[in-house]
Amino acid sequence: MSKKETTIRIEPPGRIHTEGFVSGGHRCRYCGGRGGFPKEGPDGTTEEVCPDCRGTGEVRAVVTVEWKPGAEGGRDGQ
């Protein structure tokens, strides 16, 4: 399976806040991008919706960066 690689440069903004980065269009690995699974039902075969991608066949990564003041009593920012 192919993998997507993205580099994020983290640099403090003018004011501290929370910001995010979204990377979408990744094929769901649980259902293989099908969006669901065949399921035997009383009236024949039905489709069970994938709980991970909720039937879309794709997932997205959401990376959140929360900026906070530096460490108390020091200037190392850790």
Side-chain angles (χ1 to χ4, degrees), residues 10 17 45 78:
I10 297 178
H17 62 281
T45 304
Q78 295 181 19

Side-chain angles (χ1 to χ4, degrees), residues 63-78:
V63 179
T64 303
V65 177
E66 183 178 353
W67 294 97
K68 294 186 174 192
E72 300 236 357
R75 297 180 47 94
D76 63 1
Q78 295 181 19

Side-chain angles (χ1 to χ4, degrees), residues 32-49:
R34 293 182 306 272
F37 307 94
K39 179 181 176 183
E40 291 294 324
D43 300 329
T45 304
T46 61
E47 189 77 8
E48 181 179 340
V49 175

Side-chain angles (χ1 to χ4, degrees), residues 3-74:
K3 296 185 184 218
K4 183 176 182 179
E5 183 176 316
T6 302
T7 302
I8 302 170
R9 182 176 173 174
I10 297 178
E11 204 171 285
R15 301 284 315 261
I16 62 172
H17 62 281
T18 300
E19 57 188 340
F21 173 80
V22 178
S23 175
H26 303 278
R27 186 174 78 167
C28 178
R29 295 182 103 186
Y30 187 58
C31 70
R34 293 182 306 272
F37 307 94
K39 179 181 176 183
E40 291 294 324
D43 300 329
T45 304
T46 61
E47 189 77 8
E48 181 179 340
V49 175
C50 175
D52 286 3
C53 68
R54 297 185 185 161
T56 65
E58 294 184 348
V59 294
R60 61 185 172 159
V62 179
V63 179
T64 303
V65 177
E66 183 178 353
W67 294 97
K68 294 186 174 192
E72 300 236 357

